Amino acid sequence: MYKTITEQDWVYKYISNKKDPLPVVLGTKGTWTGNRKPMIILIGFTMVDVLVLGDIYGVSHHPVRKMITKDITYYAINIIDKRKVKEIIDDWNAE
């Protein structure tokens, strides 16, 4: 059974168990959605981290969101373009 969880809750749980959290890519299994469409969310704990992820995945031109939740600040880039999401998921599945 899957439990629905928000991005902010996921990040909070992830960071609370890590001394030095690494940037993450949410959605590579195709289960993360927005408006019922698959999406990928790049998350970094510094602006530089999320911009590097954006460069790696070819979306550095996308807007960066600064999120503050429960004393945590992180930066995120949403990828919602269907082709780009599929490309990233396929890339992760190939490894």
Side-chain angles (χ1 to χ4, degrees):
M1 175 186 275
Y2 290 104
K3 178 183 175 192
T4 303
I5 187 169
T6 67
E7 170 191 316
Q8 292 84 4
D9 288 338
W10 190 95
V11 170
Y12 182 75
K13 285 183 182 186
Y14 171 73
I15 201 168
S16 63
N17 295 325
K18 309 280 187 213
K19 181 179 177 186
D20 295 313
L22 296 173
V24 293
V25 181
L26 294 178
T28 56
K29 293 188 183 285
T31 57
W32 207 267
T33 62
N35 295 324
R36 298 186 181 176
K37 296 178 183 175
M39 67 186 297
I40 301 288
I41 304 172
L42 308 178
I43 295 177
F45 299 98
T46 67
M47 180 67 85
V48 172
D49 285 344
V50 82
L51 290 174
V52 168
L53 281 178
D55 282 343
I56 290 169
Y57 290 103
V59 295
S60 57
H61 60 284
H62 286 210
V64 174
R65 295 182 288 116
K66 181 178 181 180
M67 302 295 295
I68 301 171
T69 182
K70 298 180 185 177
D71 75 341
I72 297 169
T73 300
Y74 67 94
Y75 302 87
I77 297 175
N78 290 358
I79 304 172
I80 58 173
D81 177 64
K82 189 175 182 178
R83 280 188 229 157
K84 192 66 176 172
V85 169
K86 183 176 178 352
E87 176 185 311
I88 293 169
I89 290 171
D90 290 345
D91 186 47
W92 275 79
N93 286 332
E95 293 186 21

